[in-house]
Structures are given as C-alpha cells and as structure tokens.
Amino acid sequence: MKNLGFVFIFFVLFSCKNKKQPDVVEQTRTSGTVKILVDESFSSIIADQIEVFKSDYKNAEFTTIAGNENKIMPAFLNDSIRVIVSSRMLTPEEDRIYRSRSIVPKSSRFAIDGISLLTQKNDVDSNITVDEVIKILNGTSTSGKQLVFDNAYSSTLRYFKELAQITELPKKGVYTLQSNNDVIKYVSENKNFIGVVGVNWLLSNNSNMTSYIAKVKMMGVKNIKGKKGDNAFYRPDQKNLISGIYPFLRNVYIINCEGRDGLGTGFANWLMSPRGQLIVLRSGLGPHKMMSRDFNLKNTN
C-alpha cells in the first residue's frame, strides 16, 4: 500500500510538471495587453489605428473603453487605466497626481479634429458666425437658432463653454441629448436647431445613420474679427482643418502614463509614425504633421 501511494504521488507530480503551461505574451512596445480610455468622439479613428497595428503585430491585444470625457477621466486619474485619448491635455493638478506616483505623463498630439455645426439640408441659412454661436451660449441671441449637443459631459460641450467663457448653460437655446447620433437625428427632424458634432464622428462609417445624415449639412463658420478665418465662411473639410482656417478646431492627444516601456508607448509612437498619420489623413481629419512624399525619377533615355 505504501508503494502504491508513492507511485500515485510520483504520477501526480510528473503530470503537473509536464502539463503544458499557457503561453505568456511578453510586454513590449509591440506585444502584450493594454487598456485605453477613448473619448467617444474619437472612437472611430482609434479603431482604425488598432486594426492596422494588430495586422502588423499579432501579439498585441487592446481593450478600448469609450465614453464621455468627464466620465472616463476619473478612471484615468484613479490609476485604474493609464492610457487615454482625449481632446485636452492634463491640467497642472492632474499632471501632479501622476508625478506624485513617480510617473511622468507623456502627451502626444496625433490629429486635428473639427467640430461641425449641422443644420437641415433644406435650410437656406447655412452660415453662422462665431459671434452668433457665443451669443446663443450666453443666452443673448435673438436669431431664434438653438444649439444641440451630444451630452452634458462631453468634450464638445466643454470646448464651447470655454469658448463662451461660461460655466452654466442658459435656460433656453442650448440643449443636450445622449449621443452624437441623437444630435444628427434630432436636427434632421427639427427646424431652427443646430447640431454640434465632431467631424471624426460624422465621417465615420455609421450605416445606421445614413438616412439621417443625408438630411443634414455642415454649416459655414466665420471667425471673430481679427482672428484667422474672419474673412469668409469656412466648412470643416480636411483642407480647412489642416490650414487651421476653420474656427472650431481641437487637437486629439494620446496621453500615456504606463510608467514603463510597454504596448501603450508603442501604440502612441505608432500614431505619430508615417503609417499612423496616413490613417489620420485618410479618415478626413488633419494629421499632426504632413508626411513628405519622395519621388524617384528614372531616366528612360
């Protein structure tokens, strides 16, 4: 019996030793796992970037968590997720939070987005000035125009509140819904409302919204006198985003606080690389920098 017990123990130990262990993916700039918080306005461009990145680096795994800026930022500051894509950099206080943990935040602008103002396609008044937008936000406009934003916690609304230098919205003339798609649908069905939506979201492949998008159009915007773009009405097409002449521009940043040389760092570098910038260009946004094109001219004589 003792011999049988010894044989049994030996068998168990031998089996455990030879049992195949699951592969552990090394954490590098091109492999491993990373979680990224993403302002939902930019979820489409990040999805495109990740798709191409993974086609090159098979051992890279991404988990993206999209949401409104004010909702996802606390998770970033609480150190539960250390990479975020946002339309703003960290404030000095937020930066200090990470530095107190001996981590230096690394922020990189990789794209330029425009904020589009939408109106019904059959609306004869398809232009607006920045001055008039500010008046609507201040509650002093007499034009009858009203603004509709995606969400009370969105980066888009924050942008315009800072523009108008207000902390609270007026009781009339400015409204918030739940999503960008809600804005597009609402404007397509209601007159005298101007929808406020990021260009990246508007250009993304959203088949469910095709019929509604067909009923709206982008407005031309004229800037405040003395500022670039004050001489005419400009729409947020890619040319005007790159030149900076369209008034409502915002930068798109990736902020990395991994504190190590991991996949978050590799992906941030990828966004700034020629391939990453080409994806930005093809998306309709403005790249951080234009890539030069080299031509090899061959003498055929």
Side-chain angles (χ1 to χ4, degrees):
M1 293 296 292
K2 289 183 178 180
N3 289 336
L4 288 174
F6 176 79
V7 171
F8 177 75
I9 294 171
F10 176 80
F11 177 77
V12 171
L13 293 174
F14 181 80
S15 299
C16 292
K17 182 177 180 180
N18 287 276
K19 186 178 181 180
K20 187 176 181 181
Q21 298 297 320
D23 294 334
V24 178
V25 178
E26 184 182 2
Q27 298 291 324
T28 71
R29 290 190 177 194
T30 55
S31 65
T33 61
V34 65
K35 292 183 179 180
I36 304 178
L37 293 163
V38 182
D39 183 322
E40 67 177 4
S41 299
F42 314 122
S43 56
S44 176
I45 183 65
I46 292 301
D48 291 342
Q49 294 280 1
I50 289 175
E51 181 180 2
V52 179
F53 188 95
K54 284 176 62 66
S55 70
D56 284 353
Y57 306 108
K58 306 298 183 182
N59 292 325
E61 291 296 331
F62 295 83
T63 300
T64 58
I65 302 171
N68 296 308
E69 182 183 83
N70 284 1
K71 296 291 187 179
I72 64 175
M73 187 59 76
F76 182 72
L77 297 176
N78 290 337
D79 201 23
S80 57
I81 299 176
R82 293 187 174 184
V83 182
I84 188 170
V85 174
S86 174
S87 64
R88 70 170 179 86
M89 298 179 69
L90 297 181
T91 66
E93 178 58 32
E94 292 167 344
D95 185 83
R96 281 193 292 270
I97 290 174
Y98 267 100
R99 290 180 185 270
S100 68
R101 303 171 187 150
S102 299
I103 297 174
V104 179
K106 298 179 180 178
S107 302
S108 303
R109 184 187 82 160
F110 68 91
I112 305 167
D113 187 27
I115 302 179
S116 174
L117 301 187
L118 304 177
T119 187
Q120 284 191 347
K121 199 165 187 177
N122 58 2
D123 191 343
V124 294
D125 187 7
S126 59
N127 292 324
I128 194 169
T129 65
V130 173
D131 285 323
E132 181 57 32
V133 171
I134 292 174
K135 286 180 180 179
I136 297 173
L137 290 164
N138 284 324
T140 59
S141 173
T142 57
S143 67
K145 296 290 186 181
Q146 303 177 81
L147 298 175
V148 183
F149 289 87
D150 54 339
N151 195 282
Y153 303 98
S154 73
S155 59
T156 307
L157 181 57
R158 173 185 57 79
Y159 175 100
F160 279 90
K161 287 172 74 175
E162 290 178 356
L163 174 72
Q165 298 181 349
I166 60 174
T167 56
E168 299 292 335
L169 298 178
K171 293 181 179 180
K172 295 182 179 180
V174 183
Y175 305 95
T176 60
L177 301 176
Q178 295 297 317
S179 70
N180 287 286
N181 284 349
D182 288 340
V183 172
I184 296 169
K185 183 178 179 181
Y186 192 87
V187 171
S188 71
E189 297 174 340
N190 295 275
K191 293 182 178 181
N192 295 323
F193 282 90
I194 298 173
V196 187
V197 178
V199 171
N200 177 242
W201 186 275
L202 198 62
L203 296 179
S204 63
N205 184 16
N206 193 342
S207 57
N208 295 330
M209 296 299 297
T210 301
S211 61
Y212 296 108
I213 292 175
K215 298 177 183 178
V216 300
K217 60 183 175 182
M218 294 183 182
M219 301 183 74
V221 182
K222 186 177 182 180
N223 211 344
I224 297 170
K225 188 174 181 180
K227 292 191 175 183
K228 190 173 185 178
D230 67 348
N231 61 325
F233 292 91
Y234 295 94
R235 288 180 171 78
D237 58 42
Q238 191 172 52
K239 175 184 173 183
N240 292 336
L241 298 184
I242 293 173
S243 69
I245 203 166
Y246 180 71
F248 299 138
L249 298 174
R250 59 181 176 178
N251 295 321
V252 188
Y253 302 94
I254 182 167
I255 305 172
N256 176 23
C257 292
E258 278 191 318
R260 59 184 173 85
D261 199 22
L263 184 55
T265 300
F267 185 63
N269 290 344
W270 161 273
L271 294 176
M272 300 297 297
S273 71
R275 290 192 71 188
Q277 290 294 283
L278 182 59
I279 295 170
V280 172
L281 189 65
R282 288 178 175 174
S283 75
L285 298 188
H288 168 68
K289 57 182 178 180
M290 295 295 291
M291 298 294 104
S292 63
R293 300 181 63 183
D294 297 325
F295 297 90
N296 293 321
L297 302 179
K298 295 183 179 179
N299 190 342
T300 56
N301 293 330

